[in-house]
Amino acid sequence: CAREPSVIWHECQSAPNGEIALENFGALNALASGCDALLCGSGLTDSAESAALVSDLLKENPNLPCVLDADAVRPKILQSLAGRRAPTIITPHEGEFLRIACDISDNSLMEAAKKYSCTIMLKSNLTRICSGGEISYCAGGSPALARAGSGDILCALTAGLLANKTLFQGDADRPVKVCALAAQWLGKAAVKAGAEFSESALATSDLIPFLPKALV
């Protein structure tokens, strides 16, 4: 909050183990009704209550675009995607993807996207994006993107772009293009940041100020 004072916070109740409690559903569902997109996962934990909370939010807001990352990339949550009408994007790294697939092959990527009716952006040195059909490949970036926290920036960029209703409006491949734009944007920011700080001195938080510069 001190680092980013413009962020609006909503106080939530905690379960006994410290995870976000299911009893927050009513308040969060009310907030979701006025949102343009939903982002869940970072810091969520793999608790039964947090999983039930996210699942209920997904079921109750089928027309709200959604990005799921980190601890939200689990079968017990992704099973709630059936019947959703709005785009849903999940952004796992390879370890998280193995929770929902037997391996990280292209075939498994396509099968998982079809099974869960979503677009998957599988993060790696060569990021792959798939909605169940053809796979798009995004190269570029730098080793800085392998550090903890860079995936949080990427999923936030993706959710922000997905919330922009005019971006790729009417395009059947909109979720894939949103993912590609987010990945390329962060990749360019990482290259610019690395050129200024050097790879060894670059912290993940240093990437954020370079996002505007990456658009130039």
Side-chain angles (χ1 to χ4, degrees):
C1 186
R3 185 68 182 270
E4 182 48 79
S6 63
V7 172
I8 299 174
W9 298 84
H10 180 81
E11 185 176 3
C12 291
Q13 299 297 315
S14 297
N17 291 332
E19 66 271 14
I20 187 170
L22 181 57
E23 64 190 273
N24 295 292
F25 171 75
L28 294 179
N29 191 50
L31 290 172
S33 65
C35 293
D36 293 314
L38 180 67
L39 169 60
C40 301
S42 301
L44 187 66
T45 76
D46 183 29
S47 74
E49 284 208 42
S50 61
L53 175 61
V54 174
S55 295
D56 287 349
L57 285 171
L58 292 170
K59 291 175 183 176
E60 290 296 316
N61 298 278
N63 296 314
L64 183 62
C66 180
V67 177
L68 301 177
D69 184 50
D71 283 327
V73 183
R74 298 184 184 276
K76 58 188 175 184
I77 292 178
L78 300 188
Q79 289 167 0
S80 304
L81 301 181
R84 298 195 84 245
R85 294 181 286 276
T88 301
I89 295 171
I90 67 172
T91 59
H93 57 58
E94 292 178 350
E96 292 162 345
F97 182 69
L98 288 174
R99 299 173 189 156
I100 63 171
C102 60
D103 56 45
I104 58 170
S105 66
D106 285 355
N107 189 55
S108 289
L109 177 58
M110 290 186 286
E111 288 182 354
K114 292 176 182 177
K115 178 179 180 179
Y116 294 111
S117 302
C118 65
T119 299
I120 302 176
M121 176 158 54
L122 182 54
K123 299 174 292 191
S124 187
N125 60 322
L126 180 64
T127 293
R128 290 173 285 164
I129 305 166
C130 181
S131 289
E134 295 183 351
I135 296 175
S136 298
Y137 300 87
C138 291
S142 78
L145 297 180
R147 295 174 182 162
S150 64
D152 296 327
I153 300 174
L154 180 60
C155 69
L157 280 176
T158 305
L161 293 171
L162 192 61
N164 185 338
K165 299 177 182 178
T166 63
L167 186 64
F168 306 123
Q169 186 178 26
D171 194 320
D173 293 326
R174 181 172 183 262
V176 170
K177 291 184 177 180
V178 163
C179 290
L181 179 57
Q184 292 170 358
W185 187 2
L186 183 59
K188 290 180 179 180
V191 170
K192 288 181 177 289
E196 181 163 329
F197 287 97
S198 82
E199 291 295 345
S200 59
L202 179 63
T204 302
S205 57
D206 293 325
L207 296 174
I208 297 175
F210 283 86
L211 289 171
K213 301 176 184 179
L215 295 176
V216 177

